[in-house]
């Protein structure tokens, strides 16, 4: 069996790369990966030290993850710094975020479709199919989010 510290580090980096491909800063993905792997509450300072990045990077990353409802800020009596932990079931919200982005794309396609000359039936048909594709994707993500939320 492989060294678990190595497996952990690779996983954290993979999640950083996954989220980066979705337009999220790599550090935010690494923070999320750390929470997924460890499952522990972490202080702001712990995150800085563990990931060996600047306070500004951790501040930005935690703000993004909080906004996306993937982690939450928690208090600790007598502690002055912030602590964070993974939301219990963040996956429905992840799907809702993806669906919202696809819905915006669909709206943009629909706006272009509404401006096409009615005589240009070929373009109208292709754009309508393209818009439908995004509509189906949004419906599938919404259904999956509901399923994940129901199953916890």
């Amino acid at each position: 069996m492989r060294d678990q510290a190595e497996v952990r580090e690779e996983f954290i980096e993979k999640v950083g790369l996954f989220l980066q491909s979705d337009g999220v800063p790599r550090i935010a993905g690494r923070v999320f990966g750390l929470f997924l792997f460890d499952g522990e509450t972490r202080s702001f300072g712990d995150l800085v030290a563990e990931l060996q990045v600047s306070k500004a990077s951790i501040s930005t990353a935690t703000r993004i993850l909080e906004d996306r409802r993937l982690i939450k800020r928690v208090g600790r009596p007598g502690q002055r710094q912030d602590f964070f932990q993974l939301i219990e079931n963040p996956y429905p919200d992840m799907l809702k975020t993806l669906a919202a982005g696809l819905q915006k794309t669909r709206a943009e396609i629909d706006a272009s479709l509404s401006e096409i000359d009615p005589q240009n039936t070929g373009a109208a048909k292709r754009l309508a199919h393209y818009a439908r594709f995004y509509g189906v994707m949004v419906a599938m993500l919404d259904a999956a989010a509901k399923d994940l939320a129901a199953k916890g």
Side-chain angles (χ1 to χ4, degrees), residues 25-44:
R26 186 170 172 182
I27 297 301
R30 292 182 66 219
V31 170
F32 186 56
L34 183 142
F35 280 111
L36 285 171
F37 199 93
D38 293 350
E40 299 171 358
T41 300
R42 297 292 184 119
S43 72
F44 184 90

Side-chain angles (χ1 to χ4, degrees), residues 41-42 74-81 83:
T41 300
R42 297 292 184 119
V74 293
R76 290 257 173 105
Q79 297 288 326
R80 292 169 51 147
Q81 65 178 318
F83 287 80

Side-chain angles (χ1 to χ4, degrees), residues 111-125:
S112 294
L113 184 59
S114 71
E115 295 178 0
I116 292 178
D117 184 330
Q119 294 180 6
N120 191 351
T121 57
K125 183 177 178 181

Side-chain angles (χ1 to χ4, degrees), residues 63-81:
R63 191 170 39 256
I64 289 168
L65 295 172
E66 281 184 293
D67 289 348
R68 289 178 176 236
R69 296 173 43 172
L70 302 176
I71 65 170
K72 65 182 177 180
R73 193 177 306 249
V74 293
R76 290 257 173 105
Q79 297 288 326
R80 292 169 51 147
Q81 65 178 318

Side-chain angles (χ1 to χ4, degrees), residues 6-132:
E6 214 175 271
V7 172
R8 178 181 176 271
E9 289 305 313
E10 285 179 15
F11 177 78
I12 290 169
E13 187 59 31
K14 283 179 189 178
V15 175
L17 294 171
F18 296 156
L19 267 64
Q20 185 178 34
S21 70
D22 288 335
V24 175
R26 186 170 172 182
I27 297 301
R30 292 182 66 219
V31 170
F32 186 56
L34 183 142
F35 280 111
L36 285 171
F37 199 93
D38 293 350
E40 299 171 358
T41 300
R42 297 292 184 119
S43 72
F44 184 90
D46 289 342
L47 295 172
V48 170
E50 176 75 31
L51 297 174
Q52 299 178 355
V53 295
S54 70
K55 290 179 182 180
S57 292
I58 293 298
S59 180
T60 299
T62 54
R63 191 170 39 256
I64 289 168
L65 295 172
E66 281 184 293
D67 289 348
R68 289 178 176 236
R69 296 173 43 172
L70 302 176
I71 65 170
K72 65 182 177 180
R73 193 177 306 249
V74 293
R76 290 257 173 105
Q79 297 288 326
R80 292 169 51 147
Q81 65 178 318
D82 291 325
F83 287 80
F84 301 91
Q85 68 185 39
L86 185 67
I87 297 286
E88 177 138 351
N89 185 11
Y91 311 110
D93 284 331
M94 289 175 76
L95 291 177
K96 289 176 188 175
T97 298
L98 289 171
L102 294 176
Q103 186 59 41
K104 286 179 184 177
T105 301
R106 163 92 193 248
E108 291 294 325
I109 296 166
D110 285 341
S112 294
L113 184 59
S114 71
E115 295 178 0
I116 292 178
D117 184 330
Q119 294 180 6
N120 191 351
T121 57
K125 183 177 178 181
R126 288 187 296 274
L127 268 65
H129 281 102
Y130 191 42
R132 179 161 161 53

